């Protein structure tokens, strides 16, 4: 009997369009999804080493006043299919017409080091907490802001890559990516997603809450885009990127046909989605990243066009690396002066406050402030919130502009849902080599960026966490962090 290898995976692609994706064994000839009793044919998006990847887009009916559950099941060769946990029926929540939707946000779903996995007692406990929240008060959308998988083991588990990595630098750059290497990379990323997303705790939620995602470096490998140009452009690095991008598009974007993408040529994967009073803009900060840029000029042009279209509602901007965070400039300058700069600073070069990215950071901040001011002039009480992850702690930041009245752009960092926080020793090192002093972004000191202390918690949440967003009856957007150590941090965005 043909069965599911992976899935189902729910996605949100417009205000009313929901995608259902799954992977079936290679001998599957046809696939369909029965949604609320109606059978709709799925189309195959790709063949993979594990089987065929299938996709269906369902158009939700006009919104009802009350929220309703939507039942669905998957048919393979006209027979009901079950997932690896034995489920053959699934359900998600369609919010009511005037309902304030509940949004979840998470990042860093994995481990950068095998030792971290073996030393973490309950690796996926926060997914269980997220599932408990969903059962009590269903989520309408789950946003995932980067490092949905950790691909760093490719250097030791891909045989041809392991051999290549033992060469000297000049020989690495000259070497071609062989057909065997390309095949091994394709299998590696396919199996990586199937293994990490096949975890029962993760699979349970991905099948029951529509999601929208943007990748970060570990979805390719640690520090992607922050390496010297000769390595970044060499044939082997490009083969790694091509394999990572293929499976990112399948699993996280639900296929190349995702209608939210800004660039149909797929030179980058930034996307914009409107959903129940929110405009969500996800920035692909990896596809065109180099040591000297985060996004290319053509990508910036498309981002600016998308921002101009975000003229109503609340704006959520997904940027994996925090825009407001501790200042690493002293550490970067110190390491730049050492002969080990290349090996030690890829993570530092990733930060928005790295010296080569400060101009782009200022550009992004000014664009967001201009957009927030435009919506305010139109008489809207809308909020602007940057959603970030990456740093394995939770925190809250604000950019406040007092040039014409007061305009705020807030930032929520939630990290990670699986990856552990820095140890006390590591955190003490970070604190010693960095600072979190308030930062002024103009000569008149009217634009200020700083970190804020959430209610009920310290400035930094050094514990695994995820976040929820919900518009309150007080017209404030409530951000809540749910922490493994029991902290319940919150902050109302006015």
């Amino acid at each position: 009997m043909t069965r599911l290898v992976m899935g189902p995976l729910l996605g949100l692609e417009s205000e009313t369009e929901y995608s259902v994706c799954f992977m079936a064994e290679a001998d599957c000839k046809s696939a369909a999804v029965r949604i609320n009793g109606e059978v709709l044919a799925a189309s195959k998006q790709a063949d993979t080493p594990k089987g065929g990847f299938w996709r269906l887009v369902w158009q939700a009916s006009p919104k009802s006043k009350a929220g309703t559950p939507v039942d669905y099941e998957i048919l393979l060769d006209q027979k009901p299919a079950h997932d690896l946990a034995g489920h053959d029926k699934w359900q998600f929540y369609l919010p009511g017409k005037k309902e304030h939707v509940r949004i979840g946000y998470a990042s860093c779903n994995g481990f950068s080091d095998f030792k971290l996995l073996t030393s973490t007692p309950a690796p996926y406990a926060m997914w269980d907490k997220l599932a408990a929240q969903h059962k009590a008060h269903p989520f309408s959308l789950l946003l995932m802001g980067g490092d949905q998988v950790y691909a760093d083991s490719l250097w030791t588990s891909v045989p041809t890559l392991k051999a290549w990595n033992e060469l000297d630098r000049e020989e690495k750059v000259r070497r071609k990516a062989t057909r065997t290497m390309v095949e091994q990379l394709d299998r590696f990323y396919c199996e990586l997603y199937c293994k990490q997303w096949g975890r029962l705790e993760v699979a349970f939620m991905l099948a029951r809450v529509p999601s929208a995602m943007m990748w970060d470096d570990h979805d390719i490998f640690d520090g992607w885009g922050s390496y010297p140009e000769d390595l970044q452009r060499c044939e082997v690095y490009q083969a790694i990127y091509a394999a990572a991008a293929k499976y990112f598009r399948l699993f996280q974007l639900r296929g190349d046909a995702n209608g939210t993408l800004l660039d149909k040529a797929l030179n980058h994967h930034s996307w914009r989605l409107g959903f129940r009073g929110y405009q969500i803009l996800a920035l692909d900060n990896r596809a065109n990243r180099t040591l000297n840029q985060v996004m290319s000029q053509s990508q910036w042009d498309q981002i600016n066009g998308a921002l101009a279209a975000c003229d109503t509602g609340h704006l959520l901007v997904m940027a994996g690396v925090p825009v407001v965070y501790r200042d690493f400039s002293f550490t970067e300058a110190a390491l730049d002066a050492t002969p080990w700069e290349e090996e030690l600073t890829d993570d530092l070069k990733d930060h928005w406050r790295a010296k080569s990215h400060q101009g782009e950071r200022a550009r992004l901040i000014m664009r967001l402030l201009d957009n927030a001011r435009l919506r305010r002039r139109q008489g809207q009480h809308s909020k602007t919130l940057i959603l970030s992850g990456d740093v394995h702690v939770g925190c809250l930041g604000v950019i406040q502009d007092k040039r014409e009245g007061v305009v705020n752009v807030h930032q929520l960092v939630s990290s990670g849902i699986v990856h552990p926080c820095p140890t006390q020793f590591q955190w003490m090192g970070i604190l010693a080599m960095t600072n979190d002093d308030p930062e002024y972004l103009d000569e008149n000191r009217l634009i200020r960026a700083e970190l804020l202390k959430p209610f009920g918690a310290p400035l930094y949440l050094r514990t695994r966490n995820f976040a929820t967003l919900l518009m309150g009856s007080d017209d404030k957007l409530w951000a809540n962090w749910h922490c493994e150590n029991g902290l319940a941090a919150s902050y109302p965005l006015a």
Side-chain angles (χ1 to χ4, degrees):
M1 178 185 294
T2 305
R3 65 179 179 89
L4 289 174
V5 177
M6 181 69 211
L9 308 170
L10 275 172
L12 182 66
E13 300 190 18
S14 77
E15 185 79 21
T16 57
E17 287 184 323
Y18 292 78
S19 60
V20 180
C21 295
F22 48 91
M23 191 180 292
E25 288 183 328
D27 60 354
C28 178
K29 299 296 189 291
S30 68
V33 180
R34 180 182 285 122
I35 303 183
N36 282 347
E38 180 184 8
V39 177
L40 302 169
S43 60
K44 184 186 286 189
Q45 302 297 296
D47 288 308
T48 78
K50 303 283 283 186
F53 192 92
W54 298 77
R55 175 178 184 265
L56 169 122
V57 175
W58 176 69
Q59 182 74 43
S61 58
K63 293 170 283 189
S64 61
K65 291 183 179 180
T68 57
V70 176
D71 297 299
Y72 72 101
E73 56 186 312
I74 294 172
L75 306 176
L76 301 180
D77 294 331
Q78 302 180 345
K79 297 179 181 179
H82 58 80
D83 64 16
L84 299 180
H87 300 118
D88 59 1
K89 293 181 175 62
W90 302 268
Q91 185 182 88
F92 65 95
Y93 182 73
L94 190 65
K97 188 173 183 180
K98 295 185 178 181
E99 181 179 343
H100 289 314
V101 294
R102 194 159 182 259
I103 298 175
Y105 178 77
S107 69
C108 301
N109 178 46
F111 296 91
S112 56
D113 188 290
F114 181 73
K115 291 181 180 178
L116 286 174
L117 169 61
T118 57
S119 62
T120 302
Y124 295 88
M126 295 306 294
W127 278 100
D128 286 334
K129 290 181 180 288
L130 187 66
Q133 291 256 335
H134 177 62
K135 290 176 182 177
H137 304 286
F139 290 102
S140 298
L141 176 63
L142 175 62
L143 297 174
M144 297 194 70
D147 300 338
Q148 275 69 258
V149 294
Y150 279 70
D152 307 298
S153 63
L154 87 173
W155 301 112
T156 55
S157 59
V158 176
T160 53
L161 204 56
K162 182 179 179 181
W164 176 87
N165 205 31
E166 294 171 355
L167 302 172
D168 62 48
R169 169 75 168 271
E170 291 185 2
E171 184 61 25
K172 282 183 181 179
V173 172
R174 285 198 299 266
R175 283 291 178 98
K176 301 296 184 182
T178 65
R179 177 180 296 181
T180 300
M181 178 182 286
V182 170
E183 291 173 350
Q184 289 177 356
L185 285 168
D186 188 73
R187 180 171 292 278
F188 169 82
Y189 281 99
C190 181
E191 292 181 346
L192 176 70
Y193 276 95
C194 289
K195 180 181 179 180
Q196 292 193 218
W197 286 20
R199 289 282 315 197
L200 298 185
E201 303 91 335
V202 180
F204 181 91
M205 288 299 288
L206 294 183
R208 290 164 177 81
V209 181
S211 60
M213 307 184 190
M214 179 50 67
W215 66 354
D216 202 22
D217 58 334
H218 288 280
D219 301 280
I220 309 166
F221 63 78
D222 185 25
W224 174 263
S226 295
Y227 290 94
E229 184 177 1
D230 60 340
L231 275 177
Q232 199 72 48
R233 291 176 177 265
C234 79
E235 192 168 310
V236 171
Y237 264 43
Q238 292 304 306
I240 295 171
Y241 178 85
K246 172 184 174 179
Y247 287 98
F248 162 67
R249 291 167 187 162
L250 285 179
F251 280 83
Q252 299 195 38
L253 299 181
R254 314 315 197 243
D256 297 352
N258 189 319
T260 67
L261 291 167
L262 301 185
D263 184 25
K264 306 308 179 187
L266 298 177
N267 295 309
H268 64 90
H269 309 94
S270 302
W271 52 260
R272 182 172 74 91
L273 170 66
F275 182 63
R276 304 298 178 90
Y278 293 91
Q279 293 288 335
I280 307 167
L281 178 62
L283 306 179
D284 181 353
N285 290 159
R286 292 296 161 182
N288 294 312
R289 179 184 284 268
T290 69
L291 280 172
N292 298 313
Q293 73 174 26
V294 179
M295 295 185 286
S296 68
Q297 184 56 54
S298 60
Q299 184 178 353
W300 267 109
D301 291 341
Q302 291 175 313
I303 294 295
N304 292 337
L307 267 177
C310 296
D311 55 359
T312 60
H314 308 294
L315 176 61
L316 305 179
V317 179
M318 295 172 64
V321 177
V323 178
V324 181
Y325 193 57
R326 299 187 66 86
D327 182 8
F328 286 77
S329 59
F330 172 77
T331 309
E332 182 186 13
L335 290 177
D336 279 349
T338 75
W340 308 286
E341 179 259 345
E342 175 191 319
E343 287 80 11
L344 296 174
T345 64
D346 60 288
D347 284 341
L348 294 177
K349 302 296 186 185
D350 263 6
H351 280 279
W352 279 101
R353 294 182 73 172
K355 62 179 182 290
S356 56
H357 300 324
Q358 289 174 6
E360 266 188 281
R361 174 179 180 258
R363 181 180 185 181
L364 175 62
I365 288 172
M366 296 306 174
R367 292 286 186 180
L368 295 180
L369 289 172
D370 289 345
N371 179 272
R373 184 174 288 106
L374 172 64
R375 285 178 287 133
R376 192 184 69 172
R377 285 173 180 163
Q378 294 175 345
Q380 302 178 45
H381 299 289
S382 54
K383 285 75 177 171
T384 303
L385 178 62
I386 302 169
L387 297 170
S388 296
D390 180 71
V391 291
H392 305 151
V393 296
C395 58
L396 172 70
V398 65
I399 304 162
Q400 187 172 79
D401 183 356
K402 294 182 178 179
R403 289 175 298 174
E404 299 176 29
V406 177
V407 173
N408 290 327
V409 170
H410 288 90
Q411 175 190 265
L412 177 153
V413 178
S414 177
S415 172
I417 191 169
V418 169
H419 198 287
C421 64
T423 65
Q424 183 64 36
F425 181 76
Q426 291 168 333
W427 186 241
M428 288 175 64
I430 291 172
L431 295 181
M433 296 294 288
T434 63
N435 73 78
D436 55 10
D437 299 335
E439 174 192 13
Y440 292 95
L441 298 168
D442 70 321
E443 64 273 21
N444 297 316
R445 298 171 73 88
L446 296 175
I447 305 176
R448 172 179 169 131
E450 62 183 326
L451 294 168
L452 301 175
K453 182 177 175 294
F455 296 146
L459 192 65
Y460 297 100
L461 304 174
R462 200 171 61 83
T463 177
R464 296 195 297 178
N465 62 88
F466 62 84
T468 58
L469 301 174
L470 180 65
M471 184 60 61
S473 57
D474 55 2
D475 198 36
K476 294 180 173 62
L477 178 58
W478 282 85
N480 298 278
W481 290 259
H482 304 267
C483 302
E484 185 175 27
N485 66 359
L487 280 175
S490 63
Y491 198 85
L493 309 182

